[in-house]
Amino acid sequence: MTATHSLSVLDIKSASLDVLSMLLRSADPELLRNELSARLARRPKAFASEPFLLDVSALDDSVADALPQLCELLQSQGVRIIGVRHSSAAVGEQARALGWGWFPAKLERPSAPVAEPAESVSVPESLPEPVAAEPEPAPQVSGGGPVCTGKTLVVDRPVRAGQQVYARDGNLVVLAAVSPGAELIADGDIHVYARMRGRALAGARGNVDARIFMQQMAAELVSIAGVYRTLEEDLPETLHERAVQVSLDGSKLVLAAMAVSG
């Protein structure tokens, strides 16, 4: 007899999408063209090949009529949009007609102002959880060996380029080096007791009190509660390769050196 296998060739599960969010407070094409041109000129490589979620939830339903023109404008600037966020089904229909996805926004969602040099980002954008979902396993990182203790995820191996560690509903502690291109995400705080050269995104589900602590600061990007800052330019000597704490003050990220006892 020949043994048969009933394993499915695919699974459908809940997931988190790591994308940047572009929050619009106006649909005026001329204003947007000037703003995009200015930002891309300052950071020509910051958003290269990055997928964006176009968040128009701060605008009324009439933005649906402006989406085709916005699509043309964003494409001309090299901005890659994968979906649109708005509570209106009419906006969703227009987004799908343009080949974008639709992410319905909650009506009560606030739209706090964001000041330079910080910019708005939503990480991660979570898809709806299934009604009868199985218990989720502890977060893992490929090639690593994290240990989840209560609400803290501890990673004691290096986090390599291309790897992502997500501490859901808790804090993340990394005891080894984090390489460029690696990504740390936590709904709470992030602690890195080694050289940090990747991305660190704390308070991923909106916790404005979350903080990031790094023993050796050389990060590519830091973010708290959706407010982020890319670190392309060299940091001052007081911060570069030093122990640094990152916190959120209103809509501004604050990077401060920490005193380390010798």
Side-chain angles (χ1 to χ4, degrees):
M1 294 179 63
T2 302
T4 58
H5 299 279
S6 59
L7 293 178
S8 172
V9 296
L10 63 87
D11 287 316
I12 298 177
K13 298 181 179 180
S14 60
S16 294
L17 302 178
D18 177 24
V19 297
L20 298 178
S21 175
M22 182 178 293
L23 175 62
L24 299 191
R25 300 184 183 88
S26 170
D28 185 296
E30 193 61 32
L31 292 177
L32 291 175
R33 181 179 290 105
N34 293 338
E35 179 75 9
L36 277 172
S37 298
R39 295 203 180 198
L40 292 174
R42 291 199 304 268
R43 300 187 179 107
K45 297 181 180 179
F47 307 128
S49 75
E50 290 279 4
F52 278 85
L53 179 69
L54 184 64
D55 190 340
V56 292
S57 58
L59 305 177
D60 60 31
D61 295 3
S62 64
V63 72
D65 298 328
L67 283 184
Q69 190 172 7
L70 289 177
C71 177
E72 182 179 349
L73 168 62
L74 293 168
Q75 287 179 345
S76 70
Q77 295 289 329
V79 178
R80 184 159 63 97
I81 300 297
I82 63 170
V84 173
R85 186 172 196 174
H86 197 280
S87 59
S88 169
V91 175
E93 290 179 6
Q94 184 63 272
R96 286 168 175 161
L98 294 168
W100 293 336
W102 176 43
F103 296 83
K106 295 180 181 178
L107 294 177
E108 70 275 14
R109 181 177 181 271
S111 54
V114 179
E116 288 287 355
E119 299 171 26
S120 177
V121 64
S122 297
V123 180
E125 291 291 342
S126 298
L127 298 179
E129 297 288 344
V131 175
E134 297 179 359
E136 293 191 47
Q140 296 290 321
V141 54
S142 58
V147 178
C148 191
T149 307
K151 288 293 183 180
T152 298
L153 175 65
V154 179
V155 177
D156 58 5
R157 296 186 183 183
V159 184
R160 307 295 185 187
Q163 292 183 319
Q164 181 189 87
V165 184
Y166 177 27
R168 189 184 186 94
D169 298 325
N171 303 321
L172 175 60
V173 175
V174 180
L175 305 177
V178 180
S179 299
E183 193 165 63
L184 308 179
I185 304 175
D187 291 342
D189 300 332
I190 294 177
H191 300 254
V192 182
Y193 295 105
R195 194 180 188 203
M196 171 62 193
R197 294 190 292 164
R199 298 183 175 194
L201 303 99
R205 290 176 180 259
N207 181 2
V208 296
D209 295 320
R211 298 194 179 197
I212 302 170
F213 304 89
M214 291 167 282
Q215 190 174 52
Q216 288 181 267
M217 166 62 160
E220 299 171 317
L221 177 148
V222 291
S223 169
I224 295 179
V227 177
Y228 82 100
R229 178 177 175 180
T230 56
L231 302 171
E232 295 177 302
E233 298 81 12
D234 291 338
L235 289 170
E237 289 298 321
T238 54
L239 298 179
H240 183 63
E241 297 286 358
R242 304 294 180 89
V244 171
Q245 175 185 179
V246 184
S247 58
L248 187 61
D249 181 9
S251 60
K252 180 180 179 181
L253 286 179
V254 178
L255 284 69
M258 294 189 296
V260 178
S261 57

